[in-house]
Amino acid sequence: MTVGNYLGANYFYIDGSRAPTLNLTEGQTYRFDQSASSNSSHPLRFSTTSNGTHGGGSEYTTGVTTNGTAGSSGAYTQIEVASGAPTLYYYCTNHSGMGGTINTS
């Protein structure tokens, strides 16, 4: 996972794709590596509301583990997708409009 600028705005890039929609499987664990220096000041979090806390929602913490500081060696955000998990959204806690949708099944 990296952060890059597109048309004057920062976005999360996952496997080289700008803010892609993710499809995650319930019962599986996914780790988002935030050790790249471009992640500095862009902590990844999850919400049930588009754009997370910037969209009036709150942080989703069920099955979520964070480690280290975004942009530093060993930093990551991990989620074990709960059975029956809702549609989620990933976002940056510091900046609006960087993330995307997570479909769960």
Side-chain angles (χ1 to χ4, degrees):
M1 166 168 266
T2 59
V3 172
N5 189 282
Y6 179 77
L7 298 178
N10 284 329
Y11 292 91
F12 283 119
Y13 281 75
I14 299 174
D15 294 332
S17 295
R18 179 176 43 89
T21 296
L22 304 177
N23 296 300
L24 305 186
T25 303
E26 294 173 6
Q28 297 296 308
T29 300
Y30 300 87
R31 182 174 288 187
F32 298 88
D33 179 0
Q34 285 213 282
S35 61
S37 61
S38 64
N39 285 287
S40 180
S41 81
H42 302 295
L44 174 75
R45 296 296 184 268
F46 305 103
S47 180
T48 57
T49 304
S50 181
N51 208 20
T53 55
H54 307 289
S58 58
E59 183 177 339
Y60 179 87
T61 58
T62 303
V64 177
T65 306
T66 60
N67 184 69
T69 302
S72 301
S73 178
Y76 64 81
T77 300
Q78 178 175 294
I79 184 169
E80 181 179 350
V81 182
S83 177
T87 297
L88 296 171
Y89 301 88
Y90 60 96
Y91 70 101
C92 170
T93 61
N94 294 330
H95 306 97
S96 179
M98 289 184 59
T101 304
I102 300 174
N103 296 315
T104 61
S105 60

